[in-house]
Amino acid sequence: DSSNKKFGNLTQEQYERIEKLNEEISEALVNAVPEGKPESAEGQRVAELHKEWLIMVWPDDLYSEEAHISLAQMYTQDERFKKYYEDITEGAADYLYEAIKVFYNK
């Protein structure tokens, strides 16, 4: 509910940034996943973009490294989320999870 409330209170500029981040994340995944190196500069760019996106859509008090990693892990386990990322490019959910773990040195 608090995420929906935050999303509903976004400015037009914030909303446009979120849309741009969605595009950037998708493009970065398409470029990075075939390389298979989540520790690469492009893999870490994906993780950073996802962090920025998450901070913009989650309530301010919800974000943490652990929550970010847990969310990315859920992307690999929940078929609805996995499908979203797999529709971008095959292997994207697992790649994103690994890139985010590297991002936080976990």
Side-chain angles (χ1 to χ4, degrees):
D1 288 340
S2 54
S3 290
N4 287 336
K5 182 177 180 181
K6 181 174 182 176
F7 197 78
N9 290 324
L10 293 174
T11 66
Q12 184 64 31
E13 182 178 285
Q14 290 169 320
Y15 178 78
E16 289 171 4
R17 179 61 187 148
I18 289 170
E19 290 296 307
K20 180 69 174 161
L21 282 167
N22 283 330
E23 292 173 19
E24 290 179 40
I25 291 166
S26 294
E27 289 171 12
L29 285 168
V30 167
N31 293 329
V33 170
E35 156 186 294
K37 296 180 181 175
E39 71 281 358
S40 70
E42 190 67 4
Q44 293 307 285
R45 180 173 170 266
V46 170
E48 178 67 35
L49 290 168
H50 193 265
K51 176 183 176 182
E52 183 181 347
W53 174 84
L54 194 56
I55 288 171
M56 290 191 77
V57 298
W58 271 9
D60 295 336
D61 61 340
L62 188 59
Y63 180 83
S64 69
E65 291 180 10
E66 293 78 20
H68 193 185
I69 293 167
S70 293
L71 178 69
Q73 182 178 27
M74 185 202 53
Y75 291 164
T76 69
Q77 298 171 347
D78 183 302
E79 291 305 315
R80 297 166 298 168
F81 290 101
K82 187 164 188 156
K83 180 179 179 346
Y84 172 83
Y85 284 99
E86 296 301 301
D87 284 349
I88 294 170
T89 190
E90 186 176 341
D94 290 323
Y95 184 92
L96 180 59
Y97 175 50
E98 293 303 320
I100 289 169
K101 288 192 310 186
V102 170
F103 185 75
Y104 295 113
N105 297 310
K106 302 288 182 182

